[in-house]
Amino acid sequence: NGISSSWDPSRDKLIYENYSIGSYHNKEANKAYLQKIMNLPEDKEKFVIGMVTRIAEQKGFDLVLNSFDVLLSNNRDIQFVLLGSGDTHYIEGLRSLEARHPEQIKLNIGYDATVPNYIYAGVDAFLMPSRFEPCGLGQLIALKYGTIPIVRRTGGLNDTVQKYDLLTKKGNGFSFGDYDANQMKDSILQAYHLFKNNHEDWQKLIQRAMKEDNSIKKSSAHYIDLY
């Protein structure tokens, strides 16, 4: 898969402020705007995680429901914004989680609940802990918007997200292998600690993500070569 040219933070008319690799600092204005419209505490030092997805078992919500109470209770600087619709069972669990952490979680249930572009542009990290994922577009859009993906190493997520190495400084995101809530939580915390403790490396990671070409034009060229 690939993403269309309409997914571009430098030209996206829906986001609060446009930005590119050369002006990636303007991403902070989109974060402040997202926090404002979500009624979350407005603070650029908060680590904001986003999801835009179908709410279903495949998408890893068992892991979210089994780890976020501990994660958010122990790390008050983490916020979580979700846009999606789907399984009532998981939605009920998420609403209960939101009720326990109202200053850290904001749910947008129903795909018309908010504009997904606000989330892609406004969050620091994009979570995709899928049980399986043949390709996935969310992580490709996130990279384009300088939003760092945190994914499970499966299918297309494994193909497109290379785990960040703290020593070599290589990689474009964070990932974990087993379908396990603690592994997911550890990956989130690795991203969170880099964001909080090493601002320079986090900024370089944003720029590296934005430089990637995951366009439909590139993927179609592979198909032309194949045929």
Side-chain angles (χ1 to χ4, degrees):
N1 282 18
I3 54 176
S4 76
S5 58
S6 63
W7 292 107
D8 184 346
S10 69
R11 298 186 297 133
D12 190 337
K13 294 180 180 180
L14 293 174
I15 64 176
Y16 183 74
E17 187 167 327
N18 292 117
Y19 60 97
S20 63
I21 295 174
S23 59
Y24 68 91
H25 291 293
N26 290 345
K27 183 173 167 59
E28 288 186 358
N30 291 283
K31 178 175 179 176
Y33 179 71
L34 180 67
Q35 290 173 322
K36 181 179 180 179
I37 63 174
M38 292 293 144
N39 292 313
L40 287 167
E42 295 177 45
D43 184 349
K44 67 179 183 179
E45 298 302 321
K46 302 285 187 184
F47 183 61
V48 187
I49 302 168
M51 289 182 78
V52 177
T53 185
R54 184 165 47 86
I55 300 173
E57 180 188 14
Q58 176 205 340
K59 301 300 183 178
F61 282 97
D62 292 319
L63 306 188
V64 172
L65 293 176
N66 286 325
S67 64
F68 266 44
D69 268 322
V70 173
L71 176 70
L72 298 179
S73 294
N74 292 339
N75 302 278
R76 306 298 295 179
D77 276 349
I78 294 179
Q79 297 174 339
F80 177 62
V81 178
L82 167 71
L83 169 61
S85 63
D87 191 315
T88 302
H89 165 70
Y90 291 114
I91 291 173
E92 289 175 353
L94 289 164
R95 289 203 185 282
S96 179
L97 191 65
E98 181 184 40
R100 294 193 295 275
H101 305 276
E103 295 293 301
Q104 293 174 272
I105 295 181
K106 294 300 174 184
L107 304 178
N108 301 269
I109 305 301
Y111 278 110
D112 58 350
T114 192
V115 178
N117 306 53
Y118 294 161
I119 296 176
Y120 285 116
V123 299
D124 298 298
F126 194 81
L127 181 63
M128 292 184 72
S130 304
R131 186 181 289 274
F132 61 93
E133 195 70 59
C135 178
L137 290 176
Q139 84 281 12
L140 303 183
I141 298 170
L143 288 166
K144 183 70 175 179
Y145 281 65
T147 295
I148 307 306
I150 303 172
V151 306
R152 181 168 172 264
R153 291 193 296 274
T154 182
L157 301 177
N158 188 46
D159 294 337
T160 54
V161 178
Q162 293 79 50
K163 186 176 182 180
Y164 183 76
D165 188 300
L166 292 171
L167 295 177
T168 65
K169 311 293 178 67
K170 293 181 178 179
N172 62 359
F174 295 83
S175 62
F176 59 101
D178 295 336
Y179 191 75
D180 179 85
N182 284 325
Q183 283 195 21
M184 183 190 76
K185 179 164 63 70
D186 288 345
S187 288
I188 292 172
L189 288 174
Q190 287 170 14
Y192 168 69
H193 288 309
L194 184 69
F195 169 84
K196 293 293 287 184
N197 301 321
N198 198 325
H199 184 75
E200 182 179 350
D201 283 351
W202 184 263
Q203 300 302 316
K204 289 179 179 178
L205 184 55
I206 289 174
Q207 294 174 73
R208 185 180 308 131
M210 295 183 73
K211 287 178 181 176
E212 294 208 4
D213 182 4
N214 289 301
S215 66
I216 200 78
K217 183 177 180 180
K218 180 182 177 182
S219 61
S220 62
H222 291 308
Y223 278 101
I224 292 169
D225 288 343
L226 173 66
Y227 286 107

